[in-house]
Amino acid sequence: MRNLFDEAVDPHGGAARWLLDASDSAVAADPDVEYRVLTDAEGRAFAALPVIPGNPDWHLTEEPVLVYDAAGAVAGALHGFRGLYRAWLEHVTAAVGDRLIVVICESRQIGELVADWSDPRVRILHTIHTMHVEAPYTPDSTMNTLWTRWFRLADRFDAVIWPTATQRDDVVARFGPSANHVVVPNPIAPVATRHDLREDGLVIVLGRLAPGKRVDHAIRAFVAADVPGTRLEIWGGGPEQERLQTLIDELGAGDRVVLAGYTDSPGTVLDRASLLVTSTAFEGQPLGVVESLLHGTPVISYDVRYGIRDVLQQGGGVLVPGETSWRWVRPSVPC
């Protein structure tokens, strides 16, 4: 495990040798740009990063990254974050020799910065974990602006890795097969199911309480169904917590619907549950649904992109058409 900023520090002060060697003494900082100075454990500056407020494309700035010497003076600069990351990657791979190097990008921003890195030893793979379009999240919906430029670079990667075949196929149908699109689902380790913990009538929602998860849909559906002997526990935290509690109070459902908070044992929650409900607006790959099935807990979910239909195609749950009124059902398909 290696970290750029840990390796950017010289133990005697200032920037590490590789960072100084990569810097250009002829590049000067714009006096009107704010900088965040990075210091070592002794409080000595070794680099300074330009602050680009309010710009989602901050990583593409051409403003220089400043590099300090042991005396605390600016010794040079790199050409933006692109220059910084490129210098570090070349430093990391310098000792590898002629061996093949596989670089896996987990971040769109980093991917955009290294997509044109040309080294015959290097193969760059870019993984995707989320939705690439905006609401209503159909294959032909408006592109998420954060991904528009990335798609123009997709064919520069040696492989683009999607978590589901459905998303991969939608992307290829829309943008063509010029990039090397492959599917590698996110892995989840097998578990030993505790059927002895199962509680009849316990319905759960498990995940972050964020707008895109639409937990209010699950609450309203549960209350409207009014199935005797059932109760709903909502596990997780997030910005929607206060609004959801207000909704529960307004519905007079506090005796049957509970915001249970964060859990560090989601497996135990799934073992206790008789049913998992997810009312999310979109997914990349629904790890919570996969985990639920591994614990033998059936699922009711909106039929949304991506991944939930892929996971449930062999059984284990019920899909409800998105944006329609929910009708409460008891799943009869096997888990």
Side-chain angles (χ1 to χ4, degrees):
M1 185 69 74
R2 300 176 64 168
N3 179 279
L4 186 161
F5 293 108
D6 288 343
E7 298 190 5
V9 178
D10 186 287
H12 303 294
R17 185 74 258 165
W18 64 268
L19 194 52
L20 288 167
D21 289 345
S23 66
D24 184 348
S25 59
V27 177
D30 184 338
D32 295 327
V33 174
E34 178 186 353
Y35 274 82
R36 179 164 66 94
V37 178
L38 306 180
T39 58
D40 61 18
E42 304 298 325
R44 300 171 297 195
F46 64 90
L49 308 179
V51 178
I52 314 295
N55 185 349
D57 297 328
W58 56 268
H59 57 295
L60 298 178
T61 181
E62 294 296 323
E63 296 295 341
V65 172
L66 308 182
V67 179
Y68 291 81
D69 60 22
V74 175
L78 301 167
H79 295 272
F81 292 103
R82 186 187 305 275
L84 174 64
Y85 279 99
R86 186 67 56 82
W88 183 59
L89 286 170
E90 291 176 354
H91 163 66
V92 168
T93 58
V96 173
D98 294 330
R99 287 184 295 169
L100 179 67
I101 300 165
V102 178
V103 177
I104 302 175
C105 290
E106 297 274 350
S107 160
R108 173 186 59 82
Q109 291 93 339
I110 300 300
E112 291 181 10
L113 294 181
V114 304
D116 59 351
W117 183 18
S118 179
D119 186 319
R121 304 169 302 162
V122 173
R123 305 293 182 270
I124 304 177
L125 314 182
H126 201 299
T127 60
I128 310 296
H129 300 289
T130 189
M131 175 64 69
H132 62 280
V133 294
E134 299 285 6
Y137 311 112
T138 56
D140 58 351
S141 293
T142 302
M143 281 288 299
N144 182 311
T145 55
L146 297 178
W147 286 97
T148 302
R149 182 180 49 254
W150 181 92
F151 269 101
R152 300 193 191 107
L153 305 174
D155 61 351
R156 300 187 188 181
F157 301 109
D158 293 283
V160 177
I161 302 173
W162 300 93
T164 68
T166 303
Q167 189 172 14
R168 185 272 315 273
D169 293 346
D170 282 352
V171 166
V172 171
R174 182 167 180 174
F175 297 100
S178 59
N180 181 20
H181 296 286
V182 298
V183 177
V184 181
N186 295 324
I188 299 179
V191 298
T193 302
R194 292 285 308 276
H195 292 291
D196 58 305
L197 298 180
R198 196 76 64 199
E199 299 179 23
D200 188 39
L202 175 59
V203 180
I204 66 164
V205 171
L206 182 62
R208 188 164 182 263
L209 306 184
K213 299 302 182 181
R214 300 190 298 193
V215 178
D216 59 315
H217 288 217
I219 294 172
R220 293 182 186 278
F222 177 83
V223 172
D226 196 23
V227 177
T230 60
R231 62 196 185 283
L232 176 63
E233 291 181 359
I234 301 169
W235 289 89
E240 289 280 277
Q241 183 167 332
E242 183 176 344
R243 189 176 77 86
L244 294 173
Q245 184 60 62
T246 298
L247 174 62
I248 294 169
D249 295 340
E250 290 175 349
L251 295 174
D255 59 331
R256 297 179 54 206
V257 181
V258 177
L259 295 181
Y262 175 81
T263 177
D264 57 5
S265 183
T268 300
V269 174
L270 288 168
D271 283 333
R272 292 175 50 235
S274 293
L275 185 68
L276 172 82
V277 172
T278 175
S279 46
T280 184
F282 61 88
E283 282 288 346
Q285 180 183 345
L287 296 180
V289 172
V290 178
E291 290 170 339
S292 185
L293 298 186
L294 286 174
H295 285 267
T297 305
V299 175
I300 291 182
S301 171
Y302 277 141
D303 186 8
V304 297
R305 281 173 161 78
Y306 281 100
I308 298 178
R309 182 188 300 179
D310 304 64
V311 171
L312 296 180
Q313 64 183 344
Q314 300 300 321
V318 173
L319 291 175
V320 178
E323 299 301 334
T324 64
S325 298
W326 279 44
R327 178 175 60 86
W328 198 260
V329 295
R330 293 186 183 274
S332 58
V333 291
C335 295

